[in-house]
Amino acid sequence: MRDEYRIWEQRQIDRGIDVEWVKERIKEFKVETPSWGYGDSGTRFKTFKQAGVPRNLFEKLEDAAQVNKYTGICPTVAIHIPWDKEDDYSKVVEYAAQLGLKIGAVNPNLFQDDDYKFGSITNVRPEVRRKAIDHMLECIDIAKQVGSKIISLWLADGTNYPGQGDFRARKHWIEESLQEVYAALEDDMRLLIEYKCFEPGFYHTDIADWGMSYTFASKLGPKAQVLVDLGHHLQGTNVEHIVAFLLDEGKIGGFHFNNRKYADDDLIVGSINPYELFLIFNELVAASLDSKTASTAANIAYMIDQSHCIEPKIPAMIRSVLNIQTAYAKALLVNREQLKAAQEANDVMAAEAAVREAFETDVRPLLEMVREEMGLNPDPLKAYLESGYGEKILSRGIGGKGWE
Amino acid sequence: MRDEYRIWEQRQIDRGIDVEWVKERIKEFKVETPSWGYGDSGTRFKTFKQAGVPRNLFEKLEDAAQVNKYTGICPTVAIHIPWDKEDDYSKVVEYAAQLGLKIGAVNPNLFQDDDYKFGSITNVRPEVRRKAIDHMLECIDIAKQVGSKIISLWLADGTNYPGQGDFRARKHWIEESLQEVYAALEDDMRLLIEYKCFEPGFYHTDIADWGMSYTFASKLGPKAQVLVDLGHHLQGTNVEHIVAFLLDEGKIGGFHFNNRKYADDDLIVGSINPYELFLIFNELVAASLDSKTASTAANIAYMIDQSHCIEPKIPAMIRSVLNIQTAYAKALLVNREQLKAAQEANDVMAAEAAVREAFETDVRPLLEMVREEMGLNPDPLKAYLESGYGEKILSRGIGGKGWE
Amino acid sequence: MRDEYRIWEQRQIDRGIDVEWVKERIKEFKVETPSWGYGDSGTRFKTFKQAGVPRNLFEKLEDAAQVNKYTGICPTVAIHIPWDKEDDYSKVVEYAAQLGLKIGAVNPNLFQDDDYKFGSITNVRPEVRRKAIDHMLECIDIAKQVGSKIISLWLADGTNYPGQGDFRARKHWIEESLQEVYAALEDDMRLLIEYKCFEPGFYHTDIADWGMSYTFASKLGPKAQVLVDLGHHLQGTNVEHIVAFLLDEGKIGGFHFNNRKYADDDLIVGSINPYELFLIFNELVAASLDSKTASTAANIAYMIDQSHCIEPKIPAMIRSVLNIQTAYAKALLVNREQLKAAQEANDVMAAEAAVREAFETDVRPLLEMVREEMGLNPDPLKAYLESGYGEKILSRGIGGKGWE
Amino acid sequence: MRDEYRIWEQRQIDRGIDVEWVKERIKEFKVETPSWGYGDSGTRFKTFKQAGVPRNLFEKLEDAAQVNKYTGICPTVAIHIPWDKEDDYSKVVEYAAQLGLKIGAVNPNLFQDDDYKFGSITNVRPEVRRKAIDHMLECIDIAKQVGSKIISLWLADGTNYPGQGDFRARKHWIEESLQEVYAALEDDMRLLIEYKCFEPGFYHTDIADWGMSYTFASKLGPKAQVLVDLGHHLQGTNVEHIVAFLLDEGKIGGFHFNNRKYADDDLIVGSINPYELFLIFNELVAASLDSKTASTAANIAYMIDQSHCIEPKIPAMIRSVLNIQTAYAKALLVNREQLKAAQEANDVMAAEAAVREAFETDVRPLLEMVREEMGLNPDPLKAYLESGYGEKILSRGIGGKGWE
């Protein structure tokens, strides 16, 4: 490995890359995994139950700790309320700490209660809107208890048929509701507003695209930002362009990473279109180097949100983390002076090559070296698979906690 | 109403339409409703349970009989095995007959057994393929018992990741399996092979488009045909063109009607894009008038396949049936000589107008008259809603039989 | 016709519709046609030249006057600079006035000069940006000369490859450039900012969606608004939702009407998906009745923007105007109390029916009556075709002015 | 480089890869470039003319020879009739031979003659169909003269509006016409039938998808096969699945390579989604190793079909060739035993990893070594750019031959 790395390193140095800086950046980079990603989930046709799935939040944290143990970059875990509701959150914080973890974003659930059949904060019935607001306030309260600074809001509200809902009235209810929620945020907390083009609503979604999230977030104030889920766009959307636009506006607060070929398929990050993932990180790295956007870029929450229907949960999560890390590492290898020079010369071929060349670079020698320097096994997935943990948890049996 | 109808009729006669022929065609036209359309279904996020949902096949038939009672054109009901599995099918047939119904297509279920997690007839494990074939043979046997002539096959098999499956090996297993199933069909039975672009598989579906269904059906023989589900295409697909192509090949055997804006949304037929529905019927009517395609057109099974997540099931079904009937009635009003003349003159504007004009025609006066002549209430949905049936079935309670 | 209309009117009155109010609204409704819609255009593969195409702006105005003569609702004509550049605009205004016309929106062209190969106001070269800004300032000047109040900006800028352009730098250049343009607007002028998801840029478009137009327009001020072109969205976009959202924000200023099945196909309005067109008007009518949004709704510029590749230009334009008028008329027939009541009761079926019922209504009797009352021929297209104008202009020959 | 290659080679040997076999395969692999790819092309909005573009077929061949000189794998050039029509094809063959080239596929043009405004072989006018057939027969004749064995047919026929054309009548005309063309093929010639979902037709395309190409090709006989253009699919299409399906049927004859993000964008191959390109080659390599499909795989024509609107033509072509070679090289590095074992164990993660691992491998060391062994410069694009050829041809001036 040493020889391979040395040759690799030399090639990068020859390209004008500051490899030490790259390594530092990689070591600082963190990804948050979601508690619900360790549980069972499926399609509307079937949820295939897996053996060994955690039965409660504590076991989810144990699984998340494994991901952190082998990747070294996943010290926080997002939670979903009420899926992860507990009576005493101090025990959660304490147990997480024992495992080397902290609680990350708190995610309200506004789509599974029967009351939300026709919407939560967009419901025509004031008592349902009240309930939904109260639930979000409860989540802020939980966030305070667990030391979380982020409320990550996916509003599943929408309609299935033309005429079913009054678009503008519903918009007003969102504005009203979020104002109340926003007012309850502490100064160092943020509300991240997700958008999604469809599903579960099949005619319209109340927060359908980044423009709507952005409008709501802008009206609320600086503590509200947009959350970009990679699976929530229509086919053909140039996501990296949206990311760059929001970075420039100081209005992107985080990601929900996953991948898709069709709709919100929630597959392993980078498994379908790795180049798109890289191009997104290319924008993030560029923005981090620009004084105008650096602070926004520095505060982005990198979170995974997937649904592992047929694959084992922990390996799928490790794979996703590694794919994100890979895309980030490649983006760090873009020679930005070269790229800028090509852009300024309108040299299309050279500019494209500057970006693609970084993507084509095999960063495995680099990442293996970084992991060694971090005291990790250079092959995290192999190390996990050989650890016996996957077999040990089979004793949990079938029927662990899923999306309900 | 009489006056309105008379003026309406005169306008059509003036346009050169044989209104009596149109009325006859409408009276002969039948739509099949699915047993599972009366049960609960939902999205992967939530199935909202409705009160009054049937608890077994017999109650589903009762609900289907209501749809037939008020629309007058739904005398058959498709069943899904094992959702509708019964010990004694003679009782099913008998009860259906009492309700004025017959059993229509038999639908095997190859996606909900745990064994099918990695595919049914495309599974690498021969014992799973055997089980799936046996299930289809069982369905043929049930079809014989209930007097059904159609096996309607949706193969949910697919993969979620590149590399997961061997496309060509899986194709061979489909061919092998369907040959065995085909051989078990009686002479007057048909195997209709559905296709779907994605879901539940998110990387590939083994029968992904009409071309694959067509290839399999062609190799099997004349008793195998393609089934077109309106929600199973990629965005932008010109479905009416596919329908015309398959009609010309004698290889379309039936439809699963529903509507969608995004993916396989399974909404009420004609609720999102009524013009597309009309254009499909425009091809069907044209083909029925052409000696080369008339017999294929005459044997098409018009079936509904929907998922009523938030709306009441029986009214949604009636609405769908009426929307189909409306589209068909409008297609019958195209002046085909005029259309042909415009096409032959390359008069784009006139040809387009000939088709659109029929679509823009309000056929409610016609359908109301036809219903009166059939001894039906001219407004089937209103009549049903006022009948008290919807309230009566509430005594069934919550928790009726859904998609499992 | 009288009898038919009387029965039609009675049915509407019975439904609770104020037919006189509907007729008034229809009479007030205006649609603007584009000068370039009368010229030759095509695909990248071929522009089929038509005989009789106007050779200059004056002949384009003559053709537009025909559309206004027969439809009665097209008194303004949008122009495109430099396609319609003239030395003396007072002659243009005068000739238009003789024809009963006024000049509508002025459209700068930022995509056909060789200098714009790598962008206009997003070009890395300051002198090209300067040229593009100057061109827009020139258009404002022309607008003043012709009495136009609207600058309609489609920015074709974009890139074809990852890396080619710096998204954020280009965004800043747009902001800078538009500020200068905005500052030159008179108090009663508006800058309408169009967006488009792709083409001619095939990797990214600098103003790709409504959210970007909205952000730019918001930063500029109240005289800047969003322009919605119906063909500029990704597949599946719910355009009526965007329209409602922008109405609520007071930030929609106009439409470019056309229709498409795939990309920016620029087909006759309403020819592919008439229901979508109706649903857009449904939002516009609703907003016009709401005091919060009425003034925004009242100031919307309804403009056509099409490319008639194979059909005759004037008939295609008349057809488009009539289809827009039809959609508007149907939207006026929605019983809004009924709709609101159904929405407030979460009665999905009734709410959907309230909207669809209006769409299914045949408004030809109404429109024919309105036209008679306006002193027009009830069938504008037929009247035009029989007028002999189409034959008369053949003397112009082949090779009139197209998109260049 | 030697050290780097040796380490690279060792890593592959350790993975179980037969590197010598891989190198042999890469050396045998050929890509055909299109004469029209060296000329000017653009969008419907503008064709930006470039200096140095070839003025005739002979100059196009000179440019193609440069691509072959530096890549070493492009010895054939596809021609387009009438764009490349010549009086004496023996001179063409001779000049090509001097340049080390042969003529590849002959492409009829059925879309630019005014007669084809409403279709070529689907035109209602028999004389136009006759003309189109005659043109194809002429192309076969030219193919004989230039020693080409492939007629590559893209049928641009389609309609813009519902009703405009009779789908089934047009289908029959295609069948009739192609039968006559097929009959004129020599025994060792092939007719490759392309499909395309839309453009220039915006409502329907007569050969819209692979299923239609396949049906026509199957009816014609073994000398007719499907041609897959990577930009001719709807969003979301799994192209590699279609390729595998057609390989299994023995019915894929060639590719038109390019890339797209939205529609038929005709960008540099592999520039938008390199993983998709790799997955397609993954199927091709797998099929080449399977006795059932090996001969089909061995006879596939790998052709480029792009439109270089803003980038210099020759460098863009070299880049495309290299990207194809890269994808192929990576596909050769899949450990097929490992992949098969993972598939047979339903080990989703391992199967996915087996494929992705090959993609992530940096094959530049390998390709550089292969080129050296072939006597080529290891960096073909750099070598071309430094050769001075690009500057030399500027003397051709502006206004070379484009798509017309």
Side-chain angles (χ1 to χ4, degrees), chain C residues 30-51:
Chain C
K30 306 293 178 212
V31 174
E32 181 165 311
T33 72
S35 69
W36 60 93
Y38 300 101
D40 280 325
S41 60
T43 70
R44 61 175 167 140
F45 298 109
K46 171 78 176 176
T47 294
F48 292 103
K49 305 276 186 188
Q50 294 185 13

Side-chain angles (χ1 to χ4, degrees), chain A residues 30-34 73-74 76-79 103-105 301-304:
Chain A
K30 306 294 178 210
V31 174
E32 183 166 309
T33 72
I73 61 169
C74 301
T76 61
V77 181
I79 60 173
I103 301 303
Y302 296 101
M303 303 179 284
I304 289 174

Side-chain angles (χ1 to χ4, degrees), chain C residues 290-322:
Chain C
D290 181 336
S291 59
K292 183 176 185 295
T293 44
S295 79
T296 300
N299 280 297
I300 286 176
Y302 295 102
M303 304 179 283
I304 288 175
D305 180 14
Q306 287 172 196
S307 168
H308 308 121
C309 300
I310 57 167
E311 61 271 45
K313 322 291 181 186
I314 299 172
M317 200 66 87
I318 293 174
R319 182 76 269 153
S320 288
V321 172
L322 300 182

Side-chain angles (χ1 to χ4, degrees), chain B residues 171 203 219 240 248-249, chain D residues 171 203 219 240 248-249:
Chain B
K171 174 171 179 281
Y203 166 62
K219 290 184 170 183
E240 56 269 28
D248 197 64
E249 293 287 319
Chain D
K171 175 172 180 279
Y203 167 61
K219 289 183 172 185
E240 56 269 28
D248 198 62
E249 293 288 320

Side-chain angles (χ1 to χ4, degrees), chain C residues 252-266:
Chain C
I252 182 167
F255 283 92
H256 270 181
F257 284 116
N258 52 62
N259 212 339
R260 63 87 171 250
K261 186 169 176 65
Y262 306 98
D264 187 28
D265 306 336
D266 276 333

